[in-house]
Each structure stands twice: as structure tokens, then as C-alpha cells.
Amino acid sequence: MGTLAGKRIVIGVTGGIAAYKAVEVCRRLVDAGAHVSPIMTKGAEHFIGRSTLSALASEPVQSSLWDEESPIPHTRLGQGADLVLVAPATARLIGAYAAGISSDLLTATLLATRAPVLVCPAMHTEMWEHPAVHDNLATLRRRGVHVLEPEAGRLAGGDVGRGRLASPEAIVAAVERLLTPADLHGRTVLVTAGGTREPIDAVRVIANRSSGKQGYAVAAEAASRGAHVVLVSTVDLPVPAGDVQVVPVETAAQMQDAVDRHAASCNIVIMAAAVADFRPVTAASGKIKKDSGAPQIVLEATPDILASLGAHKPAGQVLVGFAAETSDLLANAQAKLLRKNLDLIVANDVSQPGVGFHHDTNAVTIVRRHGEPLTVSLSDKREIARAVVDAAVAILAPHSEP
Ligand code: C5P
């Protein structure tokens, strides 16, 4: 089960140098579980081979209204789609679509669909800034077409400027956003991610093995469902697409400060970070020299951020903790849920292969205050995130205010 499981996506590829990136987009959509039907324009065939896209998509490339026995492939594709994506979209395609001209299979499909349409333009800066292109996109937007704007960067022929196709990650995230229920629209979700680092001296820290990947996946999932996400993070991973505000921190004390500033106004708080339990009482201001022998480092307990959130939890707020365990998973998680006054705790047995720190996969048991525990077997961290967010949304009262 991927984030796009069961979704039928038509990907239209037009003739720009960025057509090669459509191959990566197609692969990612298929990996996420979508059924992808590719359409290439004649122009696209100058840039990539039909067989490349056919091999990666869920069915062979089509490019003509007259390839099939039945001369209506555009209505089959248009009516059956959950979403039509055009990446890259040239100025020609945008103009034809805005004018309602059906001159090939892709434009015919765009006119024959009632599904959401996402257009990802890519062209030279001069073309991108031309008033004709600007007006055509304004027309499409007015009609409800979604446009993922190009980025600035290197263009064909060595030019640099605005007009480069959005990255495959950003395109797939936009597709996910459009195909995911916006059940967190208008809600604010606080997520913490990564392991804290507690200074010993100017150069050394006590750290842990957390990569922050699970927390970022939770943030990406919440943002894709329409939430405003405050992501308190100790790591420097790519910021998830959508309305995500990153608050960088390093130590447990800084994380507590950031969480305290934001938590009270959040509908859901998900503490995915691995917060150090102990820190040096004092950190030397310079570097401790090795000639003076091994230092004695005296540790003290850090504040338990989650426990204090639980103690001051506003009515209606859903509070979620994580528990990395190596034994007695369920019993330990259940005890933690009660002790810290949580609504959910996501327990993972980090001694299992492929589970927890640094992996792209995880396997968890979501322990709930009310109801049986939910087990999610080894899956991608984004799928784990989806299960966690689903469980939190299920508790969230309609229109509850923290
Ligand atoms: O008790 P334990 O550290 O196993 O609990 C883990 C959960 O508590 C995680 O959600 C973690 O983010 C949170 N935590 C915290 N502050 C600490 C230690 C853990 O918020 N000092």
C-alpha cells in the first residue's frame, strides 16, 4: 500500500528538455501505488523514448487519437482518471489547453476529464514571463486547474533563470496533496524530529542515532492533508512540501522552548524526536584538551518535554508520543501513554531489522488510550506516518480548538 494506492493518474509529457524528468516522476508515482497511464506528445518524442516511459508506467505510452481500435482513447483516459498531470507543460500545451483546442490525444484528454488537473510548466525564462503564457495560466487557474510553478535554475543551452520544471519530489508531493483528503485543513500540527545534541564542550556533543526521517514523514503527511505544520527539527533534511514552518533547534532545552512557544495553539502535537534523557551539567566553553586526561562528565536529567505537554494539555488537543523500545514493547508503551497523559503512543521495537533509526522503513504498534493497539507491519516511513496521522485525526473532535 503506497500513498497513492488505487489512484489512476494520467501523466501527459510534452516536448521540452525537462521531459526526461517525467520518467522519474512516473517511477515515483508507480512506486507510491498509482496506476499511471502515460501520454506523450509528438514533441516529447524528440526528448525521450516511448519505450522508457512505457517500461516504467502501468501501461504503454499512447500519443495518438487513432492508436486504439476504438477511436475514443481520450474519453477513456479522461473519464477514468483521478488526476491528470502534465509534466513538463510547454507554452504550446498551456496555450492550447487555455484556448480549448483539442489537437492531439493530450489536449483532447484534458478537455475530456472532470478530474483535477495539475500542470507543471517548464520553459525558458523569456517564454515563462511572456504575457501570453501568463494570461493563459491565469485562465487555467480561474477554471480550477492547479499549477505547480517552475523553479529558478539551469535551463537548456546553459541559460540560467526561472522556468526550470519543479523537482520530481515536489511534483509527486503536489499530486499527493491533491489526491489526499484535506482532513487537516485549518488545523495546526506540531511535529518534532531528529535527535537532540547536548554539548560536552565547544566541539563535542552527546547525540543519538535518530535520523529525523520518521518525523519528517509525519510532517509531510500532515502538510499533504492541509495542515499548517510547525516542524521543530534538529536535522537538515529537505523541507516537506506544503505549509511547513521549520524551527531549527539542537538541544533538549531549545526543543522545549520551541515546543512551549507553539504547542498551546496546536490541534495535534506529535513528538517524534529522540530527546536526550541526560545532558552534561556544564559544557566547557572551549575544547577540552586530551593532555589533561579523560574528563569526568557529570550528567543531569533533561526536562521531559512530552510529559510536561501531557500535564498541561489543552482540551481537544491530541498528544502523540513515540517509544523506541528493545523489549516489552506493548507494556512499556502502555505505561508511558498513561504516565505522560498521551492520546496515542507509537511504539517501535528498534532491535528488529529494518526498524527505527536511520532506516527508510519502520514497523510500529500504535497504542491508543481507547481501543485496541493498531499494528503497522514493516513499511515505508511515509506509510507509517499516514497510519499515525489517521489515528490522530480519528481522535480529533470536529472543529475542536486547543
Ligand atoms: O520515556 P521515553 O523517552 O522513552 O519517551 C519517548 C517519548 O517522549 C518521545 O515521544 C520523545 O519525543 C519524548 N521525550 C521528551 N522529552 C524527553 C524524553 C523523551 O519529550 N526528555
Side-chain angles (χ1 to χ4, degrees):
M1 280 274 290
T3 51
L4 295 171
K7 299 293 181 192
R8 300 187 73 90
I9 298 175
V10 171
I11 178 169
V13 183
T14 68
I17 181 69
Y20 76 92
K21 290 194 197 164
V23 174
E24 173 70 9
V25 172
C26 182
R27 190 188 61 76
R28 285 176 183 248
L29 294 174
V30 170
D31 283 354
H35 179 99
V36 181
S37 311
I39 299 178
M40 280 169 67
T41 63
K42 288 274 166 269
E45 291 183 28
H46 291 293
F47 294 94
I48 55 168
R50 291 171 65 97
S51 38
T52 311
L53 207 54
S54 293
L56 289 165
S58 315
E59 52 182 76
V61 165
Q62 294 194 62
S63 43
S64 162
L65 282 158
W66 318 110
D67 282 347
E68 286 189 2
E69 275 178 18
S70 142
I72 49 164
H74 56 300
T75 49
R76 178 182 72 77
L77 289 165
Q79 287 168 352
D82 293 304
L83 180 127
V84 180
L85 163 70
V86 187
T90 53
R92 182 199 66 79
L93 181 281
I94 291 166
Y97 185 22
I101 295 171
S102 155
S103 53
D104 57 14
L105 180 58
L106 179 55
T107 43
T109 303
L110 285 167
L111 297 183
T113 193
R114 294 204 173 133
V117 174
L118 175 64
V119 166
C120 307
M123 61 198 75
H124 260 73
T125 311
E126 294 81 351
M127 296 173 79
W128 171 246
E129 290 176 352
H130 196 285
V133 173
H134 186 267
D135 288 355
N136 286 333
L137 281 171
T139 301
L140 292 179
R141 280 200 177 96
R142 202 177 58 247
R143 294 180 187 150
V145 171
H146 303 272
V147 178
L148 184 61
E149 299 231 343
E151 301 170 347
R154 250 185 41 212
L155 303 168
D159 291 342
V160 175
R162 197 161 184 84
R164 193 168 71 158
L165 182 70
S167 69
E169 294 89 327
I171 294 173
V172 173
V175 168
E176 283 170 344
R177 264 202 311 286
L178 288 170
L179 289 175
T180 312
D183 52 8
L184 287 174
H185 181 75
R187 311 287 194 151
T188 302
V189 178
L190 176 65
V191 182
T192 62
T196 59
R197 289 181 295 278
E198 309 298 332
I200 296 170
D201 65 11
V203 295
R204 302 181 182 95
V205 294
I206 296 179
N208 62 64
R209 293 186 192 280
S210 170
S211 64
K213 286 179 185 170
Q214 185 63 74
Y216 272 64
V218 169
E221 175 65 19
S224 79
R225 294 162 78 145
H228 168 62
V229 176
V230 180
L231 176 55
V232 177
S233 166
T234 66
V235 293
D236 193 14
L237 292 175
V239 180
D243 184 7
V244 180
Q245 172 192 354
V246 177
V247 183
V249 296
E250 187 173 5
T251 63
Q254 290 167 356
M255 183 170 279
Q256 183 171 39
D257 265 8
V259 167
D260 283 351
R261 256 182 288 128
H262 292 279
S265 59
C266 290
N267 303 96
I268 302 177
V269 178
I270 303 180
M271 282 287 304
V275 185
D277 291 321
F278 304 104
R279 66 183 168 209
V281 173
T282 51
S285 54
K287 180 181 172 190
I288 300 171
K289 290 284 180 212
K290 76 174 165 197
D291 339 332
S292 358
Q296 294 283 335
I297 300 170
V298 182
L299 300 178
E300 65 181 2
T302 54
D304 191 321
I305 306 170
L306 188 55
S308 91
L309 288 174
H312 306 106
K313 188 157 73 105
Q317 184 179 75
V318 177
L319 188 55
V320 185
F322 272 67
E325 306 286 351
T326 49
S327 61
D328 292 329
L329 185 78
L330 267 188
N332 282 334
Q334 251 143 2
K336 225 171 262 183
L337 176 121
L338 295 176
R339 195 170 66 239
K340 301 197 186 193
N341 191 27
L342 312 179
D343 298 286
L344 295 173
I345 190 151
V346 185
N348 52 4
D349 179 350
V350 287
S351 62
Q352 295 295 315
V355 172
F357 300 133
H358 273 295
H359 296 289
D360 288 326
T361 49
N362 206 353
V364 301
T365 302
I366 303 173
V367 178
R368 302 182 283 181
R369 184 171 277 272
H370 307 287
E372 290 298 301
L374 306 166
T375 300
V376 191
S377 55
L378 195 68
S379 352
D380 188 88
K381 284 189 170 167
R382 179 62 184 267
E383 282 182 52
I384 303 283
R386 173 173 275 199
V388 172
V389 173
D390 278 348
V393 167
I395 300 171
L396 201 62
H399 313 299
S400 70
E401 292 304 326

